[in-house]
Amino acid sequence: MNQIPYYEQKDRENTIHLRELIKDLPPFCATFFRGIEPQTSSRTRIAYAYDLKVFFDFLRKENPVLGKVDKDQISLSHLDQLSVTDLEEYMEYLKYRFNDKNQEIVNKERGIMRKISSLKSFYNYFYRNEMLKNNPAALVRLPKLHDKEIIRLDIDEVALLLDEVEHGEALTEKQKAFHAKTKVRDLALLTLLLGTGIRVSECVGLDIEDLDFKNSGIRIHRKGGKEVTVYFGVEVENALFDYLAERKQMTPMPGSEHALFLSMQMKRISVRSVENLVKKYAKLVTPLKKITPHKLRSTYGTALYQETGDIYLVADVLGHSDINTTKKHYAALDDARRRSARNKVTLRES
């Protein structure tokens, strides 16, 4: 029996998880999730389910009518009776709230915006399908977002990071013991992330068969399952070659036979493990920057844009479906390039 591809396996796991989450929501919510399935990924639907649970928890805690209604008895007619004011109170509630374990949760503007966006999609679906007469969510204004600083590694920091991965000089004695066993893998993994800009989920999902050294490319599955080839340079190729020589000597656990990157337990490495190893090495090189795998992706995008000046190429290589996403991240670089042009044209010889 052929092994199920990683992205399909994760999609199955997410689908099963989503079914459990839907059980904690009013029954009519299942209609919403079935309706949006063709246009959304399983991860997006899971995020919606978490956000909607927060909304219905709010209604049962704060709404005088729904506070007396059992979760399974909440209906679309109850939603039809809510007003813009009710949803604005929900936005206020999101700033500071307590979960089921009585732990305080603080949502900043981006967290609030995501939850309100989820609610808008929820209302829009039922309103568009004429199951609701009113759509107060359409009248709610999203919170104003302040520009977030784009954190990335400078070119010298990239070199220092890879040097630290290779030599581990700043690691503790305990860390050095593990480093001796994983440095070839870690160097290949971080060189790949920094040299291609792929997402961490795309990286951990790689199988050995996805490597094509003849054309210097890797086959990855983007969000939504789209299969694309991403190309790499000589530095990435050398690091992957070194790791593959080591990888051939490993005996993977059942189910991970095809996985490119393996954990110490000989299983396919997880996203969390990659996040932890990036954090471990980056903290030694640049302690004031909170570096994650996504920041390595931003580092690659910045370097590519500075070298080419082609925002469309950057968007294509990074797999952005909307060019505005790319522009938003690299607008500051555009401004720097425009400023650098001010002395490029000489009007009179001095």
Side-chain angles (χ1 to χ4, degrees), residues 137-156:
L139 303 175
V140 174
R141 292 185 177 181
L142 290 170
K144 182 179 179 182
L145 287 180
H146 295 87
D147 289 336
K148 203 162 123 183
E149 182 188 3
I150 304 299
I151 299 173
R152 55 177 74 86
L153 293 173
D154 299 329
I155 189 166
D156 57 329

Side-chain angles (χ1 to χ4, degrees), residues 152-180:
R152 55 177 74 86
L153 293 173
D154 299 329
I155 189 166
D156 57 329
E157 291 172 333
V158 169
L160 288 171
L161 176 65
L162 294 178
D163 284 345
E164 185 58 45
V165 176
E166 191 166 11
H167 304 293
E169 293 177 353
L171 295 171
T172 64
E173 291 305 314
K174 185 177 179 180
Q175 287 175 326
K176 283 179 180 178
F178 285 101
H179 177 256

